[in-house]
Amino acid sequence: MPVPDKPALEGLEEKWTARWEAEGTYRFDRSRPRAEVYAIDTPPPTVSGALHVGHVFSYTHTDIVARFQRMRGKEVFYPMGWDDNGLPTERRVQNYFGVRCDPSLPYDPAFTPPDKPDKHAISVSRPNFIELCARLTVEDEKAFEHLWRYLGLSVDWSMTYATIGKRAQRVSQMLFVRLARRGLAYKLEAPTLWDVDFKTAVAQAELEDREQPGAYHRIHFKTMLPRAVSQEMGVDYVAIETTRPELIPACVALVAHPDDERYRPLFGSHVTTPLFGARVPVLAHALADPEKGSGIAMICTFGDITDVTWWRELKLPVRAVMQPNGTLGPVSWGTSGWESDDAVRAQQAYDQLAGLSAKKAQAKIVELLKASGELHGEPKPITHAVKFYEKGDRPLEIITSRQWFIKTIEHREQLLERGRQLQWHPDYMQARYENWVNGLNGDWCISRQRFFGVAFPVWYPVRADGTVDYAGAILAEEATLPIDPSTDVPPGYAAEQRGQPGGFVGDPDVMDTWATSSVTPQIVTMWEHDADVFERTFPMDLRPQAHDIIRTWLFSSVLRAHFEHGSLPWSHAAISGFVLDPDRKKMSKSKGNVVTPLGLLQEYGSDGVRYWAARGGPGVDTAFDVGQMKIGRKLAMKVLNVSKFTLAGDHLDGPVTETLDRGMLLNLAALVTDATTELEQYEYARALAKVESFFWDFCDNYVEATKSRRYGDFGPAAAASASTALRAALSVMLRLLAPFLAFTCEDVWSWWQRGSVHRASWPTAAELSVVAGDAAGAREAHTALAAALGAIRKGKTDQKVSVGTEVEAVAYAGGDDEIRALRAIERDLKAAVRAGALRLTVGEPSVAVTLKPAEA
RNA sequence: GGGCGGUUAGCUCAGUUGGUAGAGCACCGGCUUUACACGCCGGCUGUCACAGGUUCGAGUCCUGUACCGCCCACCA
């Protein structure tokens, strides 16, 4: 392709995305051995959401690394996934098709959704629901792929996967079954964090704190001590302070610190709860904080995580009032039910609470306590942090339920060790991992009482009396996976036995979204699907991701690989920062400050946007700044134009003989070494800054200084030296910039080279020093050029003449070393400043420009 | 309460072993210079958050403080 007359950036994206696809430029060559492969575990974006500029930012970082590794000779394994798991997709499918997932229904292969969603949702089986999801997300996936291609991601688009896809289900289920068989996954009935609106268990990793208004309620519990002791204490009650008085009926004990003198006499004795008259013990535990409230707390089943700890360690009974839907459930007090000194009074009080939500129950019980005189003073309003499910609207409750867990706590040390083996970029992100693992306070709850997602490949026998034998879980055979227990039948049973005495039931739950996302390394590397590919790609090289999901995605992936493979899933983790809006806030949809990416790519060019993204180094939060995109666009334009200049006209073939040419090439060789080291360390932003800086100096100074010679003013040999040096430098700079300005560099490459620049070999210092030849002092001469040119240009500007004006004479004085360096390139320097005479002297730095008589 | 990161020119940010403060943008001024006006040249701009310390010398190392951001916590 010839050098264009008017090179332009417009249309490069369409042109090259089509060409790359047609030529299979980024197709993975699966014949290469593991050592020659660089495998990337790309984060699958959520398809039901929209891609925003934050995605563009971080995915560009990964692409830069991918392109660098590819040019270094690695075969890059770079798939793309779509995350269609989880609540957002579930809701979207429901609304779009007017259906509800009902896991109790069997698969109906003939089902078709109505053209328009009906007001009354149609119940469909889980497999049908998943089919609808796949249908809906096809369009999203197309739009996403288009954007990614337009941005220039060098993904192999023949390798895509969906997190709810058949193969992903199979991998998730198979890994789960293996954990279950080894006892690393287990089912247990236990107090679990619970969202009362979604009516599902949630995991520790999905929590967030929100500041909420609340109030301390000072409540009196009657003591049951011998009179003498009470008299000594002066009171016959204990005052506790609680923000959740509605849980008083669930109170099973009071607790204070063992060293707390105020309560020491009470330890071992009992008190009665207000309103309900239940006798509960006063106990000692080190977790009780004498500084908090009155220093003595009531333990309820369950008000918060501390209650769970106390309940477990003090071996207390359960007295649960909170139901899965967030209301207080029915309780009968007295001899046939819960213990009370005054069952009639207890029942009367409780009946007014039953059926109310926590919030309403609190208001009601405050009324009752005031009336009974057991509330001391007015509630004292406070603001405190309350735990929420990150997607939820009401505070979490803790409810006892039967859930699947994966063991984490007893493997804490090994998991910490894995974190240390992983190479983090930037390295300080490892602290977040350590922090999280050290803070784990329970095993990982992976089951969700939702309908959409990967099912547990598990059934339970139904006993002859119709009860379910949860301890006798029947795990699916690996060869049969994926299965859906709502439709498929366990080995040895017939379909008619579903739900029948002596028969079976399917596990109704689905896996947590992170339980399925955590196996993306196994999904993409074709684990248990294509052993050959797996062997060439696993453990992978790179996990790129954002820092907010270290505790979830990164941690859970490490955990799964540790258990299944006894290794890390990848050797490097590159953590991207967030994109901040100009107010330094994290950009997010909810804040309405998200910019749609395709418009940006079209306005500033994909390379312009890539440039902006590339400037944000690993882990660094970066401001959204169209100014930087404009600069990137200018850089790309400059590349086009200087390439046009370099390649225009006939190439004069000849060796590099001139000192300036040699110096420039050798300095470029040093840059190659430097930039390569940066990129090897995932410091792409630094690499770009250095290359960019050299490039502009090259354009502004070297090209200007050699123009005259290049045009033949000093003969053909001197011109050939410049021509050869220019081309060698251009070739190297295009390759250095190719990972960043993927489209521009590819276009220029195509003007004069064969093949794709993205499959060209990464430049080396050696290839330049061969061209430059032996040249003592040449680098210093090239380095001195910019300062001297600048000073002399200033001399002209000060006299208000153009830089191109021919002048009578220039006198330039400088230090010994500088002048020696400049003398080596005196002819080029003189031509560059268009001086009739150039005098270089050692002395105090000075510049004198003498204009021609006519101009003076 | 714990941890991590940040605080450098009006803005966005570099500043890699401690050695006279940098770039781009913005602003001001100049320039048709046979690659580029999506250009070129030049100029202006800083108690490097604050306070101590180590050192001949600190933006850089140490201690502490303040503020910003993120993550975490057993939040009665």
Side-chain angles (χ1 to χ4, degrees), chain A residues 730-782:
Chain A
L730 181 67
S731 164
V732 167
M733 285 188 293
L734 284 175
R735 281 177 283 156
L736 290 175
L737 287 168
F740 305 97
L741 308 179
F743 292 98
T744 308
C745 293
E746 182 74 319
D747 203 57
V748 172
W749 195 255
S750 74
W751 300 348
W752 62 309
Q753 304 278 359
R754 305 177 79 85
S756 169
V757 70
H758 301 296
R759 285 281 180 180
S761 62
W762 187 250
T764 63
E767 69 180 272
L768 286 163
S769 40
V770 166
V771 177
D774 174 41
R779 286 184 64 179
E780 292 76 6
H782 171 248

Side-chain angles (χ1 to χ4, degrees), chain A residues 298-340:
Chain A
M298 69 170 182
I299 303 173
C300 305
T301 52
F302 296 92
D304 62 27
I305 301 172
T306 323
D307 280 345
V308 178
T309 307
W310 281 326
W311 166 80
R312 193 173 49 229
E313 294 186 8
L314 299 172
K315 304 198 184 337
L316 295 165
V318 175
R319 206 172 277 162
V321 295
M322 191 58 65
Q323 305 185 107
N325 67 1
T327 64
L328 275 62
V331 170
S332 68
W333 298 79
T335 45
S336 59
W338 288 7
E339 175 225 313
S340 172

Side-chain angles (χ1 to χ4, degrees), chain A residues 9 87-88 114 175 199 218 224 334 345 490 508 524 592 651 736 745 813 837 843:
Chain A
L9 297 170
L87 283 168
L175 282 164
K199 299 182 187 60
R218 197 172 174 90
M224 304 179 71
R345 180 180 180 234
V524 298
H651 171 46
L736 290 175
C745 293

Side-chain angles (χ1 to χ4, degrees), chain A residues 518-595:
Chain A
S518 58
V519 300
T520 56
Q522 289 83 0
I523 295 171
V524 298
T525 59
M526 306 282 172
W527 176 75
E528 290 294 319
H529 182 79
D530 185 330
D532 185 62
V533 167
F534 181 71
E535 197 175 296
R536 293 168 198 277
T537 52
F538 191 93
M540 306 182 79
D541 293 272
L542 178 66
R543 157 61 69 81
Q545 64 163 77
H547 53 67
D548 57 335
I549 51 174
I550 288 173
R551 64 174 179 165
T552 49
W553 196 34
L554 192 143
F555 166 74
S556 57
S557 303
V558 168
L559 176 74
R560 305 300 292 271
H562 171 70
F563 281 149
E564 179 59 34
H565 311 287
S567 76
L568 280 172
W570 358 257
S571 46
H572 296 262
I575 310 297
S576 281
F578 287 137
V579 175
L580 307 174
D581 71 14
D583 298 334
R584 313 293 309 167
K585 299 270 164 43
K586 182 190 169 188
M587 283 193 137
S588 69
K589 238 192 303 190
S590 58
K591 294 191 179 109
N593 55 5
V594 170
V595 182

Side-chain angles (χ1 to χ4, degrees), chain A residues 151-194:
Chain A
L151 177 62
L153 298 191
S154 57
V155 160
D156 180 347
W157 289 104
S158 71
M159 299 189 299
T160 58
Y161 68 94
T163 55
I164 195 67
K166 274 266 183 281
R167 204 161 54 74
Q169 286 187 47
R170 180 163 173 272
V171 170
S172 293
Q173 292 188 337
M174 197 175 292
L175 282 164
F176 168 79
V177 166
R178 292 194 183 182
L179 287 178
R181 291 202 198 284
R182 291 164 66 195
L184 293 168
Y186 61 92
K187 187 140 197 173
L188 182 70
E189 182 164 19
T192 314
L193 295 159
W194 185 273

Side-chain angles (χ1 to χ4, degrees), chain A residues 697-714:
Chain A
D697 175 70
F698 172 83
C699 293
D700 296 343
N701 299 312
Y702 174 79
V703 167
E704 292 301 328
T706 52
K707 231 174 217 176
S708 163
R709 176 153 56 81
R710 163 95 196 285
Y711 283 129
D713 293 354
F714 308 119

Side-chain angles (χ1 to χ4, degrees), chain A residues 667-724:
Chain A
N667 278 332
L668 178 56
L671 171 77
V672 167
T673 303
D674 201 4
T676 304
T677 304
E678 297 289 13
L679 279 162
E680 279 172 342
Q681 294 167 357
Y682 296 81
E683 292 287 356
Y684 43 82
R686 283 193 194 174
L688 172 60
K690 288 172 175 177
V691 173
E692 186 188 9
S693 163
F694 185 96
F695 173 76
W696 282 105
D697 175 70
F698 172 83
C699 293
D700 296 343
N701 299 312
Y702 174 79
V703 167
E704 292 301 328
T706 52
K707 231 174 217 176
S708 163
R709 176 153 56 81
R710 163 95 196 285
Y711 283 129
D713 293 354
F714 308 119
S721 175
S723 182
T724 301

